[in-house]
């Protein structure tokens, strides 16, 4: 009677061992996610090292702030914000500054440069170091043993380069070390609106309503409407109907909480529909004490939550 080759038997035993261990490994993974508090909303881990996910650099974040939900009615009183629509992407931007979280020492070719803990450092220039552009970072004060050393060099991420600015020129180190090992400066960031992404930041304040003659019979073209314009002569008699007294407040792109413009005007309501920038609203109730409206179309509703 022939026997299977030794390698087949060995692989069969290994497969049975892995199958037996798999439930244990799965249970351990579930226990770990429970201990970390992930639950059903576990983050999307991109690395096998769990802690690496909490040590990422600054990330872009989307700001979404609306006081309405598409398809849901709400009541507005005179003087209240009827529509608050904020949607923009904030991107981290290096402000050209660093801070030292720890005390750091640069040691090279017999020279020691101390950077005290808590030092605030600013980039003053970009200089070629070993053929690559680096940030020139002036020192608060030169080292006692080398009064002609006025600056150090760092990459954008804060890693220190083996060179100093000495006697008005770049002096590279043949031997270089940083203490503590792998210590680096922490870059300082500010958030700014990402110009390549969508930007919506306005509020619409409801003041009152009245009945007036319509200025023209054709409703204004809404965002995303690709229909051909009506070239027929405008009608002179359009009838009358309700109008809302609204103030549209647009906020500044650089200072997101500062109003840049505030335009007040009468907006027509046709067939119980009100058109606003990127929005279509249905009006269900109009009384002197308030209105009931519903956003039925939102051209900017491509993001559903803030990060």
């Amino acid at each position: 009677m022939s026997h299977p080759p030794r390698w087949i038997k060995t692989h069969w035993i290994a497969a049975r061992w892995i199958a037996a261990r798999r439930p244990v490994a799965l249970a351990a993974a579930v226990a770990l996610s429970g201990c970390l508090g992930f639950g059903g909303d576990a983050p999307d881990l991109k690395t096998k090292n769990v802690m690496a996910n909490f040590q990422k650099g600054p990330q872009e974040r989307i700001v979404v702030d609306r006081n309405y939900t598409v398809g849901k009615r709400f009541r507005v009183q005179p003087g209240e914000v009827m529509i608050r629509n904020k949607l923009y992407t904030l991107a981290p931007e290096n402000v050209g500054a660093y801070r030292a979280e720890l005390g750091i020492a640069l040691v090279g070719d017999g020279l020691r440069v101390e950077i005290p803990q808590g030092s605030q450092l600013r980039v003053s220039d970009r200089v070629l170091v070993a053929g690559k552009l680096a940030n020139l970072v002036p020192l608060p004060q030169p080292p006692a043993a080398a009064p002609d050393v006025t600056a150090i060099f760092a990459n954008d991420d804060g890693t220190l380069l083996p060179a100093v600015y000495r006697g008005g020129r770049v002096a590279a180190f043949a031997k270089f070390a940083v203490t503590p090992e792998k210590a680096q400066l922490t870059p300082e960031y500010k958030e700014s609106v990402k110009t390549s992404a969508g930007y919506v930041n306005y509020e619409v304040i409801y003041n009152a309503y009245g009945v007036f003659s319509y200025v023209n019979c054709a409703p204004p073209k809404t965002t995303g409407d690709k229909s051909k314009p009506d070239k027929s002569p405008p009608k002179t008699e359009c009838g009358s109907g309700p109008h809302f007294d609204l103030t549209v407040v647009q906020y500044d792109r650089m200072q997101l909480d500062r109003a840049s413009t505030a335009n007040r005007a009468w907006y027509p309501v046709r067939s119980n529909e009100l058109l606003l920038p990127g929005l279509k609203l249905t009006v269900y109730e109009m009384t002197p004490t308030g209105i009931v409206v519903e956003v039925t179309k939102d051209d900017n509703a491509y993001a559903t939550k803030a990060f």
Side-chain angles (χ1 to χ4, degrees):
M1 181 177 179
S2 62
H3 295 280
R6 181 183 299 272
W7 67 269
I8 294 180
K9 185 175 182 181
T10 303
H11 283 214
W12 178 78
I13 295 173
R16 289 198 60 184
W17 183 86
I18 293 173
R21 296 289 295 176
R22 185 170 295 157
V24 177
L26 178 60
V30 172
L32 175 61
S33 65
C35 293
L36 293 177
F38 295 160
D41 298 321
D44 185 14
L45 300 182
K46 301 297 185 183
T47 173
K48 294 180 181 179
N49 183 354
V50 175
M51 288 308 298
N53 294 281
F54 302 96
Q55 298 172 354
K56 292 180 179 179
Q59 303 290 313
E60 292 182 0
R61 65 186 182 97
I62 300 175
V63 174
V64 182
D65 182 13
R66 299 189 180 100
N67 67 336
Y68 63 87
T69 301
V70 176
K72 186 176 180 180
R73 301 181 189 184
F74 58 98
R75 180 178 294 274
V76 185
Q77 297 178 349
E80 290 184 340
V81 174
M82 181 174 71
I83 294 294
R84 181 175 65 253
N85 198 348
K86 299 176 183 290
L87 173 60
Y88 44 82
T89 301
L90 289 175
E93 179 185 356
N94 194 318
V95 299
Y98 300 97
R99 65 180 183 275
E101 305 291 354
L102 303 171
I104 303 174
L106 284 71
V107 183
D109 296 350
L111 177 67
R112 183 181 180 90
V113 178
E114 300 278 354
I115 304 175
Q117 181 179 5
S119 296
Q120 298 287 331
L121 306 171
R122 292 198 64 85
V123 175
S124 66
D125 202 356
R126 299 271 283 179
V127 179
L128 278 174
V129 178
K132 296 183 180 180
L133 279 175
N135 296 319
L136 178 68
V137 185
L139 295 170
Q141 60 184 20
D148 57 340
V149 173
T150 58
I152 59 175
F153 295 95
N155 291 316
D156 289 341
D157 64 356
T159 53
L160 298 165
L161 298 180
V164 294
Y165 201 63
R166 188 170 197 176
R169 56 184 297 180
V170 177
F173 290 146
K175 295 182 179 181
F176 176 74
V178 177
T179 305
E181 187 179 1
K182 297 183 180 180
Q184 66 184 59
L185 302 174
T186 301
E188 293 187 358
Y189 293 91
K190 70 175 182 180
E191 287 185 322
S192 59
V193 176
K194 188 177 180 180
T195 55
S196 61
Y199 172 79
V200 177
N201 190 3
Y202 71 88
E203 290 180 339
V204 178
I205 301 172
Y206 171 74
N207 301 303
Y209 88 95
V211 178
F212 306 100
S213 296
Y214 292 121
V215 175
N216 59 67
C217 298
K221 188 175 181 180
T222 60
T223 303
D225 184 3
K226 298 182 180 179
S227 59
K228 295 182 179 180
D230 185 5
K231 296 183 179 180
S232 59
K235 298 179 180 179
T236 56
E237 180 58 39
C238 300
S240 61
H243 288 62
F244 283 175
D245 178 8
L246 304 177
T247 302
V248 179
V249 181
Q250 181 69 52
Y251 288 86
D252 189 86
R253 184 185 293 268
M254 301 303 294
Q255 301 181 40
L256 298 170
D257 58 348
R258 186 182 75 85
S260 58
T261 60
N263 298 315
R264 184 169 180 175
W266 289 96
Y267 287 74
V269 178
R270 291 185 172 91
S271 302
N272 293 330
E273 283 191 348
L274 172 69
L275 299 180
L276 292 174
L279 297 178
K280 181 185 290 185
L281 293 85
T282 299
V283 181
Y284 293 98
E285 183 180 319
M286 291 177 284
T287 67
T289 59
I291 58 174
V292 175
V293 296
E294 173 191 335
V295 177
T296 55
K297 185 175 182 294
D298 187 348
D299 292 338
N300 296 301
Y302 57 82
T304 57
K305 71 175 185 176
F307 297 89

